[in-house]
Structure formats: structure tokens, C-alpha cells
Amino acid sequence: MNQWLDERLHISRLNDKFLRKAFPVHHSFFLGEITLFSLIILILTGILLALSYEPSNSLVVNSFDPGSADKPNLIPAAYHSALKINAMPFGDMLRRIHHWTANIMVAAAVIHMMRVYFTGAFKKPREINWWVGMLLLIFTAFTAVTGYALPYDNYAYNTLKVIYSIAASLPWVGEWVSQAAFAGKFPGDGLIPRVYGYHIMLLPGILLALTAAHMLIMIKQKHTQPQYAKRIAYKKIVGVPLMTQQTPIMLALTLVFAGIIVLFSAFIPVHPVEFFGPPSTTPINNIKPDWYLLWVFGVLAIIPSFEIEILGGVINSEFVGAIVVPTLAILAMFAVPMLDRSRDNLYYAENPTNYPVRLGAGVAFMALLIVWSVAGYKPELISAGILSNTNANAVLWIATFLIPALSYFAVQAIVRGIRSLRESDARDRAAFQAADD
Amino acid sequence: MTRYKRQDPEITRRKFINVAMGTTAAVGGVSLLSTLGAANPIFRLTANKMPPQAGDILVHAQESKEGQPIRIADLGTQLVRAWPQGKDENGEPVIRKGDPNNILALYRFPKGQIVAPTNLDATIDGETVAYSDICTHAGCSVGDSDINAGEMKCPCHSGQYDPKRGCIVVGGPPPRALAQLPIKLEGDNLVVTGFFLTYPYPYATEAEWESIKKEVEAART
Ligand code: FES
């Protein structure tokens, strides 16, 4: 049979080209795989959810609590179907798995990028894949956010409202853009069908295409090799082939990973739609975006209010906080490979401590995002008495500059410490060897 | 370098094909873009989506009492949410909640506490005042502050407003004060006497607000 297939599909070529691709043996190389598995689990659970979900925000009678004939209890169909999903066997579990996996996918992607950044794996020839990876990160965030909107409870409603108005805050074109993106003035009748289209068709399509490109480029360019490979066989590719050695490792990883997600989902509820209730005009106290967007939220919380009108376009604090600042941060990440001027192709993952500036800059950048995320908790910090209403903004702004700078210099100091230790080790070894001879 | 470049009098076939393909791609791309226009549906200003206007009465927005007219006695220093209720084309009462940005915040403070820049003429006896309850920042519904009593706090990005001083921004990112709505007492009902005094959310400029006001006026006559 093998031969029959081979004559038609040239399996052996496929085998040579793809299935024998060598995977480096190092745990940090699993992060990308975890991201990929998450995507697969998300698609599978997403399909199951889509089978029972009703993408519409028109009002229907709540079948769980119909009210009276003259005053029926009307709720949006999407919200109603979320309640129904919760009521079906394992329905709530399905939603939780989908939700948890989404969080883990973003987390794994972020850590995967940190690994790539700190070991210099973005350098020539892998710049393109860094950029594809950035796009993946951005579209993953979009997919996650549109997913949030679908249960259409009060939380989703408020989130959507903020997203709509962020889009509308673009000077000149904002109104048109947000109406085109969200099917008319908020909340238009077509709102949920539109977001549903994004979440299950457009964005997953983009994600799959980008993932395919990401992996093809990776197979073409090969992984960076971990340091030990240099000692074993210089300039040779060291690792285990996809077929058959890496596959069982991957399968084991998938199973463990799926098990962890199911455990999480069994014990830690996420997004209880019943608790938030259908969309209403009652604000939700302390509403927060997910952790990976908290930094944008934090910027918005500490940015002072202003509004400038230029030629009929309005530039306000919302536009600067929610669009300009994140765009700058993302551009900085896009620019990472261009800051590197090496001419040679990179074979081996670099030791981060040999590149103190890069290491420091990366840590400072993360520190900045953490400070801003903490700023997202401004109201809580004030309520808890840690900051006061009058000094909160000043303190958080000072931290915005001070903490990244401090972490940069702390990294430099630590790196210097590590180096001097390493050098004295080398001296000792040399002395020892000399004595030995 | 350019001095030695061969000057080709004729356009080469390659160049021709490139230009032709480029033009086709550009034209095709632009025409595909035009389909994006379909993404933006038309908007019809129906009675339930109009902003509050003269003659509307204020009714409770809170779920358990929704639609009941608000009485002065229902109000106090805690925020009470209200919808404007007007008449549709057939003269039937209609709650204008088709536009959720119409939600209103009502307060009643002891005499003398409400000061400028609140427009006192637009309040009832200098005690009862109505504002748009939609944060001018990103459109969340604003509630009573749990940090500073007597202030309002927007839960979304912690914008803060002072309802005794014309709902000016006292903290956070909102760019403008909440818009004040002029009201009066007529019998037991709270009645709106005109449009918001300044432009409310979601309008980004005075001009946009003026044009919607004109549209409403036109629809009324
Ligand atoms: S929406 Fe109110 S502060 Fe942002």
C-alpha cells in the first residue's frame, strides 16, 4: 500500500522534506507547539459551540424565566443561547474550555515570543517569521476580544461599547470606521451577526493562514539550534525527527496540556453570563479587559483628559491612549529585527546574558507593560488606600518611567555579576588545569 | 552610474506587461474596496432613537420600575437612572431607549449645593438636576462613586465627574463634562424643556450635534 500511495502522492518526498524535520530537544521549544495545540483545541470546541449558538441580538422571550404575557421577559437571542448552552450537559464546561484555552494560547504565544527575543532567534534569516508571529499575536488578540462579545451579556455589551467608541475615536474617519466595522450605530441590529462573522470566519481564517505561513517558513529555515548542539556537532542540525520521535513527544504534550485545561475548566469558572445578566444600562463595577489588554486599559486610566480639534477632526485622550500608545508599542516590537545589524545567518540560540542591552531593553519593556497593567487597577488601589485620588496619576506616571529604567540598570548589574563569576570560574579552571599538568 | 545606463527608446515587453498587470491589480483592488460600502448599513432616525427633547417626560430606567414616571420624591443624592419618554408618529408613548446613549442620570441635592457651572435655570428649584449618564470618554454608563461620596465614577476607565458642578470632569480620561438636560416640573411629572445644553456622547463635535438636532426638528414638524 505504501508503494501504491507513494507512486501517486510521492510520500517519500514529503517524508524527506517535512516528516523528517529535526526538532531541537529543549523544553523552551515547546512553547510554540503549545500555542498551536491551543489553536486546534479552540477550533474544535469553537465548532461545537457554534452548533448551539444563535448569532443574533434581536430580543426573544427568556425560556427560563418567561415573565408574564403582558410583560414578557425579553433578552437578546445570543444571550439566551448562551444560557441554553450552559444548561446543556457539559455545555458550561465546553464554554470554559474554550475560554481557558484562549487565555493559554495568548500566554503561550507571549512566552514563545519572549523566548525568541531573548535568545536572538529573530535575527537574520528569521526576521520575516518574527513579523508573521507579530501578526499572529495581534490577530489572536482580535479573535479573543470578538469572542468575548458573543455571549452578549452585560459585560460583553460594555466591552463592545468601549471597542466601538475606541474605533470611533479615530480622527476624521472614526465614525464611519466604527459603523462599518460594527454594522451601524451601536448597538445596531446587525451587531452580533457581524461580530460572529469575524470571530468564526474571518479571524480564524487569517489565523490559520498565518500559522501555515509561520510553520512553512520555520520548516524551510530550520529552528535555531540550542547551545549544546554546537558542542555535539558544529554547524550540523541536531534534534529528533518529527516522524517518529517528535510525534509521540508532541502527543504526550498535547494530552497533558489538554488534561490541564480540562482540570482548570472543571474547577475555575470563567465568565459567568448569568451573573452579569443581559445588556443593561447599569454599569458593571470594576469591569476589566483580559490580562493581555490590561496595559491599554491602564494607559487610559492615567492619561489626562484632553480634546483638540484640528480641521474638523477630534484628537482626544481616548485616541491617544487606546490607539496611539498601543500602536507605538506594537511598532517597537515589529522593529526588533531591524535593530540587529548582523550579516551572518544565526545558527545557535544565544545566551541572553551575552547581550545585556537586548536583555535589559526586553525586561524594561515588560516592566513598562506591567506598570501600566497595575495602573489598570487604579480605582482598586485608591479604594484600598494605597494611592489617593490626588496622587494616583502622578505616582503611576513616575512609575511608568522609573520602573523600566530601574529594571534596565538592574539587569545590567546582574549581567555584570554573572560575567565576573563566569570569568573567575574560567580563571580557576585554567589554574587548576595548569596545576594538573 | 546612470551615465552608462542603456537608454532604451522602445518600451520593453516586460515593462509593458508589468505596467499592465499593475494597473489591472490597482483597478481591481479599488473596485473590490467599493464593496466595503455595503458593510455600513443606513441609519433611520426613528422616534425611539431620537435624543431627549422638549416635551418628553422622564420615566424610570431601573428594571423593576421601568416605564413608571419619575416623581420628585423618588430622587435624592443617589443617582436615579431615567429614560426620556416621548410620542411616536401615531402619538403613542414611546420610551426612547432605542439609542442606549439616551440614558439619563437624575440627582436631587439640598438647596444651595448645586453651583456653577451647572445651569441653574435648567434645574428644578436649583435642587433637581438631569445629566446624560453616558461617559464622554468611551460611552459607559456612569454610576455613583464609591471613592468620593457625592461624585460620579465611570467604571470603565475610572473617569470621575462632579454632579453638583455641572458634572465637570474631576479625574480620569473623559474629555468633557456630562451634558446637562434642562427639565421642569409639570404637575407630578418631570418634563424635558429642550435639548442637552452641550453635545452629549456619542457626538464628537458641536457640528454633529447641531445637525442631529436639525434632523429631529425636521422630523417633528
Ligand atoms: S468610558 Fe468612562 S472613563 Fe472610559
Side-chain angles (χ1 to χ4, degrees):
Chain A
M1 190 184 79
N2 270 345
Q3 200 192 344
W4 187 87
L5 276 176
D6 200 27
E7 277 163 16
R8 280 150 190 89
L9 299 173
H10 304 287
I11 302 281
S12 50
R13 254 193 82 215
L14 180 77
N15 187 41
D16 296 342
K17 272 240 155 8
F18 293 107
L19 301 183
R20 299 214 44 89
K21 172 180 170 30
F23 277 77
V25 186
H26 190 273
H27 44 264
S28 71
F29 285 85
F30 283 127
L31 289 163
E33 282 174 34
I34 290 181
T35 318
L36 177 66
F37 300 151
S38 308
L39 180 62
I40 295 168
I41 297 181
L42 281 170
I43 290 175
L44 294 178
T45 50
I47 291 173
L48 289 177
L49 284 170
L51 294 179
S52 305
Y53 175 75
E54 189 178 346
S56 155
N57 48 333
S58 16
L59 295 175
V60 296
V61 176
N62 182 350
S63 59
F64 297 96
D65 174 16
S68 58
D70 54 327
K71 208 167 178 285
N73 185 11
L74 297 175
I75 54 175
Y79 178 68
H80 189 215
S81 70
L83 293 181
K84 282 203 263 184
I85 291 178
N86 274 2
M88 68 191 201
F90 289 104
D92 191 19
M93 190 70 180
L94 196 60
R95 282 190 49 234
R96 290 185 191 184
I97 293 178
H98 195 70
H99 200 120
W100 265 116
T101 315
N103 270 294
I104 289 178
M105 176 166 170
V106 182
V110 168
I111 306 176
H112 171 65
M113 280 191 112
M114 276 158 57
R115 204 280 293 166
V116 168
Y117 174 82
F118 286 121
T119 59
F122 57 84
K123 287 189 180 176
K124 190 184 169 191
R126 297 186 182 79
E127 300 98 325
I128 304 174
N129 237 9
W130 172 266
W131 293 323
V132 175
M134 280 299 302
L135 290 178
L136 270 166
L137 189 70
I138 294 168
F139 282 106
T140 304
F142 276 137
T143 318
V145 169
T146 50
Y148 258 81
L150 293 183
Y152 208 51
D153 55 359
N154 200 17
Y155 191 98
Y157 174 79
N158 278 289
T159 315
L160 267 177
K161 195 159 190 189
V162 171
I163 300 172
Y164 177 92
S165 94
I166 286 176
S169 75
L170 284 167
W172 299 290
V173 292
E175 211 29 51
W176 188 89
V177 167
S178 57
Q179 289 188 19
F182 295 101
K185 284 201 180 174
F186 187 88
D189 304 329
L191 179 70
I192 286 293
R194 186 63 64 87
V195 177
Y196 181 69
Y198 294 152
H199 185 72
I200 74 152
M201 294 288 291
L202 181 64
L203 293 168
I206 294 177
L207 281 184
L208 283 175
L210 285 171
T211 306
H214 200 59
M215 299 209 310
L216 282 177
I217 297 177
M218 183 266 290
I219 289 171
K220 169 94 186 127
Q221 295 182 331
K222 317 277 182 286
H223 279 90
T224 42
Q225 293 288 309
Q227 280 290 331
Y228 69 80
K230 202 183 212 165
R231 290 191 299 273
I232 301 178
Y234 185 64
K235 289 241 167 165
K236 290 263 159 51
I237 288 176
V238 179
V240 295
L242 176 60
M243 220 44 185
T244 53
Q245 282 87 328
Q246 178 75 1
T247 312
I249 302 180
M250 277 180 166
L251 278 177
L253 182 69
T254 318
L255 290 178
V256 170
F257 173 65
I260 292 175
I261 288 181
V262 172
L263 264 183
F264 265 43
S265 314
F267 292 107
I268 315 176
V270 276
H271 204 75
V273 285
E274 293 88 350
F275 172 76
F276 293 112
S280 81
T281 48
T282 328
I284 305 171
N285 235 340
N286 302 329
I287 183 173
K288 295 251 184 307
D290 258 354
W291 58 271
Y292 44 85
L293 290 177
L294 200 52
W295 57 284
V296 182
F297 186 81
V299 174
L300 280 175
I302 57 173
I303 200 166
S305 59
F306 68 90
E307 200 171 37
I308 317 167
E309 215 182 308
I310 317 172
L311 303 173
V314 178
I315 295 185
N316 55 22
S317 40
E318 193 186 359
F319 170 67
V320 173
I323 297 184
V324 177
V325 172
T327 309
L328 289 178
I330 287 171
L331 284 182
M333 285 168 78
F334 263 104
V336 160
M338 291 188 281
L339 300 177
D340 175 68
R341 263 179 271 283
S342 52
R343 295 275 177 92
D344 299 326
N345 282 354
L346 178 89
Y347 275 101
Y348 294 103
E350 294 164 341
N351 181 344
T353 53
N354 289 344
Y355 298 83
V357 173
R358 181 175 77 204
L359 183 65
V363 171
F365 185 73
M366 287 183 332
L368 178 65
L369 296 190
I370 290 172
V371 170
W372 281 343
S373 301
V374 171
Y377 282 93
K378 184 171 116 176
E380 284 83 350
L381 291 174
I382 294 175
S383 307
I386 299 171
L387 296 175
S388 81
N389 218 354
T390 37
N391 72 8
N393 277 12
V395 170
L396 290 167
W397 272 114
I398 293 172
T400 296
F401 291 101
L402 200 61
I403 291 188
L406 281 182
S407 28
Y408 180 84
F409 290 114
V411 167
Q412 304 304 312
I414 294 171
V415 167
R416 213 161 294 149
I418 293 177
R419 273 205 189 155
S420 67
L421 275 181
R422 219 188 281 151
E423 273 155 26
S424 73
D425 265 2
R427 259 199 311 280
D428 283 356
R429 219 177 297 127
F432 195 67
Q433 264 170 5
D436 244 12
D437 291 340
Chain B
M1 285 253 283
T2 40
R3 232 188 315 152
Y4 300 107
K5 202 170 165 191
R6 196 171 132 243
Q7 295 290 322
D8 199 342
E10 263 182 281
I11 74 173
T12 61
R13 259 189 281 184
R14 177 190 297 255
K15 208 179 199 174
F16 175 77
I17 290 174
N18 281 347
V19 170
M21 279 204 318
T23 320
T24 320
V27 172
V30 169
S31 53
L32 272 180
L33 264 184
S34 69
T35 60
L36 267 185
N40 196 348
I42 35 167
F43 175 71
R44 273 188 60 230
L45 188 68
T46 46
N48 68 333
K49 289 183 182 154
M50 289 180 183
Q53 51 193 282
D56 287 1
I57 67 166
L58 301 184
V59 299
H60 278 286
Q62 197 202 332
E63 201 149 330
S64 54
K65 295 193 255 182
E66 192 177 293
Q68 293 174 20
I70 292 182
R71 304 284 169 241
I72 277 284
D74 300 341
L75 305 175
T77 54
Q78 297 281 308
L79 191 159
V80 172
R81 286 201 178 78
W83 289 118
Q85 177 181 303
K87 300 244 168 0
D88 66 7
E89 310 81 58
N90 310 322
E92 294 291 319
V94 54
I95 300 183
R96 302 195 199 278
K97 57 179 200 175
D99 184 344
N101 296 318
N102 281 350
I103 190 79
L104 302 167
L106 300 186
Y107 281 101
R108 183 162 156 235
F109 292 107
K111 213 172 194 82
Q113 286 200 5
I114 300 184
V115 294
T118 319
N119 184 333
L120 286 172
D121 295 338
T123 63
I124 299 174
D125 299 334
E127 291 181 352
T128 305
V129 59
Y131 296 104
S132 156
D133 193 36
I134 295 294
C135 185
T136 54
H137 179 232
C140 290
S141 198
V142 188
D144 281 315
S145 169
D146 53 347
I147 303 172
N148 288 343
E151 280 185 4
M152 297 170 84
K153 190 185 95 181
C154 174
C156 286
H157 315 98
S158 61
Q160 286 151 276
Y161 300 93
D162 186 348
K164 294 190 207 118
R165 288 186 286 152
C167 258
I168 56 167
V169 181
V170 287
R176 278 172 281 119
L178 296 178
Q180 191 187 343
L181 184 71
I183 49 172
K184 67 173 185 208
L185 201 60
E186 220 177 74
D188 277 345
N189 284 339
L190 275 74
V191 177
V192 180
T193 59
F195 288 112
F196 282 112
L197 300 178
T198 51
Y199 59 101
Y201 190 88
Y203 306 101
T205 58
E206 192 75 52
E208 262 179 60
W209 172 234
E210 290 303 325
S211 81
I212 196 87
K213 281 202 295 199
K214 287 227 184 64
E215 246 181 273
V216 172
E217 297 284 10
R220 286 217 301 190
T221 50

